[in-house]
Amino acid sequence: MKILTQLIFFLGIILCVQKSVAQEVILIRHASVKLERHGWMGAKKASKMRDAYDTAPISQFDPDTVLSKVPERITDTVYVSGLSRSIATGLKLFGDSATIVSLQELNEFEMHMVWLPLYLPFKAWTSISRTTWLMGLEKPGTESFQEARERVDDVCSFIERKAEQNKQVILVTHGFINRNISKELEKRGWQVIQNNGKKNLGATVLRK
């Protein structure tokens, strides 16, 4: 009886320790891509460049330098989007040391280029196009802002389920969707402890 009581006591301690371990989410933005985007251009060229961006190779980088700036990996799975720059970055960072799982749900928000009779820098085209998309002026057949928000909500629910199981979830995805994932997780009680995910290979880290 005494042994059984001690066993129950120690099991209770173990369970309490497990519950007290913080859950962690690491959102890493993909590496920059090799694509010349300087100069002024019309809408047609900007649209072609936007399509080329999705298939352009990533620039070289030192994985150790990137990983030294984020918490140590304790999970055996890393999630990436279905876009090549996300997949290539995930493989470069973690290689064979982790299982890389590609999910279309983690793709960057869709965006079509607006058609205006102007010549603008590529960054201006993307800024204007993103603004019109946020206003609900998307091209038919393109994911709307509301649909994107619903996708983020589903992704965050997925993240929370995985975090309960493994304590840590790592995603290598894209700047805009990462920011929205971070905001939604904050609404759900997660705390941002590192916020450097706006630049390529930067990371946002949240804990709960």
Side-chain angles (χ1 to χ4, degrees):
M1 185 67 179
K2 184 177 180 180
I3 295 176
L4 180 60
T5 302
Q6 290 176 334
L7 180 60
I8 294 173
F9 175 74
F10 284 116
L11 284 174
I13 292 176
I14 292 172
L15 289 173
C16 287
V17 170
Q18 288 179 335
K19 289 181 179 179
S20 67
V21 174
Q23 297 176 7
E24 184 174 73
V25 176
I26 303 174
L27 306 171
I28 302 175
R29 190 184 178 194
H30 63 81
S32 61
V33 301
K34 295 179 180 179
L35 183 67
E36 180 60 50
R37 287 168 283 174
H38 300 298
W40 293 60
M41 63 195 72
K44 185 175 182 179
K45 183 177 180 180
S47 182
K48 289 182 177 179
M49 190 167 290
R50 176 67 187 86
D51 293 339
Y53 184 76
D54 280 341
T55 57
I58 62 172
S59 301
Q60 292 300 310
F61 64 90
D62 179 15
D64 292 335
T65 299
V66 177
L67 296 176
S68 69
K69 299 176 182 178
V70 298
E72 182 181 359
R73 180 176 63 83
I74 60 173
T75 181
D76 60 359
T77 303
V78 173
Y79 299 97
V80 300
S81 80
L83 298 175
S84 61
R85 59 188 181 275
S86 170
I87 297 171
T89 303
L91 290 170
K92 178 80 172 178
L93 283 172
F94 301 101
D96 297 330
S97 67
T99 300
I100 307 296
V101 177
S102 176
L103 301 174
Q104 298 291 330
E105 292 83 359
L106 298 179
N107 283 6
E108 182 61 294
F109 293 164
E110 291 185 55
M111 180 186 69
H112 76 281
M113 287 294 178
V114 296
W115 288 83
L116 298 171
L118 299 171
Y119 277 81
L120 300 167
F122 181 69
K123 205 163 200 179
W125 281 112
T126 58
S127 296
I128 293 171
S129 298
R130 181 66 75 194
T131 299
T132 59
W133 178 76
L134 290 170
M135 293 170 61
L137 303 176
E138 71 277 352
K139 182 179 179 181
T142 302
E143 180 183 47
S144 69
F145 180 49
Q146 180 58 39
E147 290 171 335
R149 290 179 64 179
E150 292 171 359
R151 175 155 64 94
V152 166
D153 187 66
D154 291 340
V155 167
C156 288
S157 295
F158 169 81
I159 288 172
E160 290 192 311
R161 289 195 300 271
K162 292 299 180 181
E164 288 178 358
Q165 298 170 6
N166 303 319
K167 298 303 178 185
Q168 185 188 66
V169 182
I170 300 177
L171 294 85
V172 181
T173 57
H174 310 270
F176 204 57
I177 190 172
N178 272 355
R179 289 198 295 274
N180 282 268
I181 290 173
S182 178
K183 288 179 181 178
E184 176 60 29
L185 288 175
E186 282 190 89
K187 292 178 183 178
R188 299 185 183 203
W190 291 75
Q191 181 180 2
V192 176
I193 63 168
Q194 179 178 322
N195 188 8
N196 197 28
K198 291 183 179 180
K199 66 179 183 178
N200 293 107
L201 296 173
T204 298
V205 180
L206 302 97
R207 286 184 185 152
K208 187 176 183 179

